[in-house]
Amino acid sequence: MADDAEAARQLKKLSIYGAARIIKRRDNSLYNALRSINEDSIFVAEIAQLWPSLPLVANLRCGLWYAAAFHATCYFKSTDGHTNNLSFNTSRLNLHVALLAGQKGGCIIIDSTRKGKRFPDSMSKTIPIWTCVINRAIVNYRRKMCSDGLISKRVVESSEGQAPLDWDCSLHLPLWVSETERATIENRLESWTQQLEASGADISSIATCLKKPLRPLWISQRTVIWLNEVPDHDSWDFTPIILVSASISSGTVQPKTTSEFSWNYIAGAGDDEESWARGLSPSLFWKNLYDIIESGPDLCNRKVADIVEKHRVYLAHRGHTVPQIKVKGPKLPGSACNLSSDELPLASEMANVEFDPKSSHEDCPITWLGLTNLAVGSTQFPAGASGVDCVLNCSQESISVSLQSTEAYLHLPMLNSKQDRFSLLSNLQTAVNFARSNLSKGKTLFICCQNGEDISICTCLAILMSLFDDQGTYDDGKSFSETTVTKWDMRRRLVYICKFATNARPSRGNLKQVFNFLTGGERVSSDS
């Protein structure tokens, strides 16, 4: 009672806006978020069982929370589907999704939204635009092949059969998208298709793999499905991209009660994980689901802190460097679902805890870029990774690696563009010089950052542009010195990287720094 009275006195001192934010923070507690995710995951599992042969794909980052296992991930941004920002982004082509859908006959993409809408804009517009542009590019490719006499007039021959030349290129949007917005999108489809074709994307592989045109379908928790009338995906005359919005479309917090705990349902709880997850990742959540849910609202934060710290120490014992999670304490006293940073367990407290490698270890793959001798990935890779001669570490923390010499390891701490607008730019010259000194000797180079999705991708892009020709052959910067780099040149190379590193998510600010480096008079010569 005393705590509640003190909290009430604190609230009186705040503005209405400040009080509303504190109340919202309490409603959006860690336990509420995780409990909501678990409940929505039941719906996702039910939909997945309707078409068990179709692969489940998570739209990063929100969708990754709603199932224990996915076949793949994708990155379709809602901002690309916003009314005043409609775009087809060649930095996020997601071509691996089209290939996967072609191989499996379709796929199911999982996402969610907090906005009180049934579907996020990524599903309402971004993905429908993507499917339409891909279909149009396939038709253009096949027509060109036909005009060149490489295929017959009505069919495209492939190793697995024949695919018709006539192809559905129409724009398929959900009913709630207005006619005005539909017209705006249709007017820009041709230019977007030209952008895709000019990006250097491997359209031929997709055209060979896909036997039916891509088409989106939409399913939410409000969708009525008659189980005895669910069609087999092979019976459709298109390749389905089934878009599943995981959460109940409600813009308000919904109180729920079980036999043990009361909690508030949050729509789209998996979104914006930095603001609530306290260092917990989707994989750690699903590995420890029962313990977390059973801990209840009062002990949830403590349980999650223990899990996160145990996993950090486990990785540290195996040569990985993972920074300790720092969590802000609560603004008000008496908040049962928040712990101050002082309450987090110390590494020394966990040093003697027994770990189960099967339940704690996360795969940290290294992605090789064709025959370039370049690889990208996260800092959480096996210390003695096979085939790695040299390591360029772009994260803030140094890492322990097993290499033949200390000169084969370079640590260049770089910050994201939101933290430092020039961090990448100021380090790229050193990175390129390090790459040249090793690649020129035929050595392999692994470029890593904390998540393997942004800074390492941008650094690799700068190296690829500076030291390789258009065919991906190392030429010590000869091609680079003889050409003027354009944004399209850089986009084409980025498409090449994303062909292999399908989880790449370079930020606009970091890409801008790469472009400024390549065009700002800081070119590297072969004798530098």
Side-chain angles (χ1 to χ4, degrees):
M1 293 295 293
D3 287 342
D4 291 340
E6 177 62 23
R9 284 194 293 271
Q10 291 287 342
L11 284 172
K12 288 181 180 179
K13 298 178 182 179
L14 296 171
S15 65
I16 294 176
Y17 175 75
R21 284 181 60 86
I22 290 174
I23 293 172
K24 182 179 179 181
R25 189 182 301 116
R26 284 183 169 181
D27 289 338
N28 294 340
S29 69
L30 179 61
Y31 185 79
N32 288 340
L34 297 177
R35 191 68 188 257
S36 301
I37 289 170
N38 183 48
E39 181 159 300
D40 290 335
S41 71
I42 298 172
F43 167 71
V44 170
E46 290 174 348
I47 298 301
Q49 283 301 310
L50 296 179
W51 297 280
S53 62
L54 294 184
L56 204 62
V57 181
N59 192 27
L60 297 172
R61 292 173 303 165
C62 182
L64 198 58
W65 286 90
Y66 290 95
F70 287 94
H71 294 84
T73 61
C74 59
Y75 190 42
F76 293 99
K77 289 194 70 174
S78 287
T79 52
D80 292 335
H82 287 176
T83 302
N84 298 319
N85 190 48
L86 294 168
S87 63
F88 179 85
N89 199 312
T90 54
S91 298
R92 297 182 284 271
L93 285 179
N94 293 289
L95 297 184
H96 65 288
V97 178
L99 290 170
L100 181 64
Q103 294 166 0
K104 303 296 184 179
C107 68
I108 303 173
I109 298 180
I110 308 299
D111 203 354
S112 187
T113 179
R114 286 179 181 264
K115 301 296 183 181
K117 299 180 292 188
R118 288 179 65 185
F119 293 87
D121 285 336
S122 61
M123 290 184 164
S124 294
K125 284 168 281 188
T126 305
I127 295 178
I129 289 172
W130 174 81
T131 58
C132 185
V133 171
I134 294 290
N135 287 335
R136 291 166 70 98
I138 289 174
V139 167
N140 290 346
Y141 169 80
R142 287 176 173 162
R143 285 175 178 168
K144 183 179 184 302
M145 295 286 285
C146 183
S147 64
D148 292 343
L150 300 178
I151 59 174
S152 67
K153 206 166 188 178
R154 296 296 301 169
V155 299
V156 175
E157 296 186 356
S158 71
S159 60
E160 297 185 8
Q162 296 180 337
L165 186 59
D166 54 331
W167 202 255
D168 180 14
C169 293
S170 56
L171 177 66
H172 295 277
L173 291 172
L175 297 176
W176 54 87
V177 176
S178 68
E179 289 300 320
T180 301
E181 201 159 17
R182 172 185 286 274
T184 301
I185 294 173
E186 288 179 336
N187 290 336
R188 302 181 65 181
L189 286 174
E190 183 60 31
S191 63
W192 287 333
T193 305
Q194 292 174 1
Q195 288 179 24
L196 173 61
E197 293 168 342
S199 70
D202 187 7
I203 303 299
S204 61
S205 295
I206 301 175
T208 301
C209 185
L210 278 173
K211 301 301 180 291
K212 301 175 184 178
L214 298 170
R215 181 170 175 176
L217 300 174
W218 295 268
I219 296 179
S220 73
Q221 294 209 34
R222 289 169 53 187
T223 303
V224 177
I225 299 176
W226 300 99
L227 296 180
N228 60 340
E229 296 181 6
V230 174
D232 188 87
H233 69 274
D234 289 333
S235 65
W236 288 320
D237 59 356
F238 54 85
T239 302
I241 305 295
I242 300 175
L243 308 178
V244 178
S245 184
S247 296
I248 300 172
S249 54
S250 172
T252 60
V253 175
Q254 304 172 38
K256 289 181 177 283
T257 303
T258 65
S259 59
E260 294 180 292
F261 307 116
S262 294
W263 56 284
N264 294 324
Y265 174 82
I266 305 171
D271 194 20
D272 192 23
E273 61 193 42
E274 289 88 357
S275 66
W276 60 266
R278 303 173 72 89
L280 187 70
S281 66
S283 58
L284 277 180
F285 167 62
W286 285 103
K287 289 172 183 176
N288 299 275
L289 173 65
Y290 179 80
D291 289 341
I292 291 174
I293 298 300
E294 290 300 309
S295 66
D298 293 344
L299 299 178
C300 178
N301 285 28
R302 166 65 69 178
K303 174 61 68 174
V304 168
D306 288 348
I307 291 170
V308 170
E309 182 64 10
K310 286 177 182 178
H311 183 64
R312 188 189 74 83
V313 175
Y314 169 81
L315 292 177
H317 284 173
R318 282 146 186 83
H320 304 302
T321 301
V322 186
Q324 192 162 4
I325 301 297
K326 296 180 180 179
V327 183
K328 294 181 179 179
K331 298 289 185 180
L332 291 173
S335 180
C337 293
N338 287 290
L339 290 175
S340 68
S341 57
D342 294 336
E343 293 177 289
L344 291 175
L346 299 175
S348 58
E349 298 174 1
M350 300 296 171
N352 296 320
V353 176
E354 293 296 327
F355 298 100
D356 180 6
K358 294 181 180 180
S359 65
S360 300
H361 182 64
E362 293 182 12
D363 291 332
C364 305
I366 292 177
T367 302
W368 293 97
L369 307 183
L371 302 177
T372 62
N373 277 352
L374 291 173
V376 292
S378 75
T379 53
Q380 298 180 36
F381 73 101
S386 176
V388 173
D389 297 326
C390 310
V391 174
L392 172 56
N393 176 18
C394 304
S395 71
Q396 288 298 294
E397 304 289 336
S398 183
I399 58 177
S400 176
V401 292
S402 299
L403 300 171
Q404 292 184 349
S405 68
T406 55
E407 296 179 354
Y409 174 77
L410 177 63
H411 182 205
L412 291 177
M414 301 187 199
L415 294 172
N416 189 280
S417 59
K418 291 183 178 181
Q419 299 171 288
D420 186 339
R421 291 185 300 163
F422 305 103
S423 178
L424 196 67
L425 179 62
S426 61
N427 283 286
L428 284 179
Q429 182 67 70
T430 304
V432 171
N433 289 342
F434 178 74
R436 167 186 281 119
S437 66
N438 290 285
L439 293 172
S440 61
K441 301 173 184 176
K443 295 182 178 180
T444 58
L445 174 63
F446 175 58
I447 307 163
C448 58
C449 63
Q450 184 62 37
N451 57 20
E453 299 171 355
D454 188 359
I455 294 178
S456 60
I457 297 294
C458 291
T459 304
C460 182
L461 176 61
I463 292 172
L464 200 64
M465 292 288 295
S466 300
L467 303 176
F468 291 77
D469 62 18
D470 287 338
Q471 286 70 46
T473 302
Y474 179 81
D475 67 356
D476 201 32
K478 183 175 182 295
S479 301
F480 181 68
S481 62
E482 295 174 351
T483 59
T484 300
V485 175
T486 66
K487 288 185 178 180
W488 270 111
D489 294 329
M490 203 171 82
R491 287 179 183 176
R492 288 173 64 90
R493 297 296 181 94
L494 181 58
V495 168
Y496 175 80
I497 293 174
C498 292
K499 176 181 178 181
F500 303 96
T502 57
N503 66 327
R505 294 188 292 161
S507 65
R508 181 178 300 179
N510 286 338
L511 288 175
K512 184 177 180 180
Q513 291 182 69
V514 174
F515 183 71
N516 289 340
F517 167 74
L518 297 173
T519 59
E522 296 187 55
R523 294 186 171 200
V524 287
S525 60
S526 58
D527 48 76
S528 61

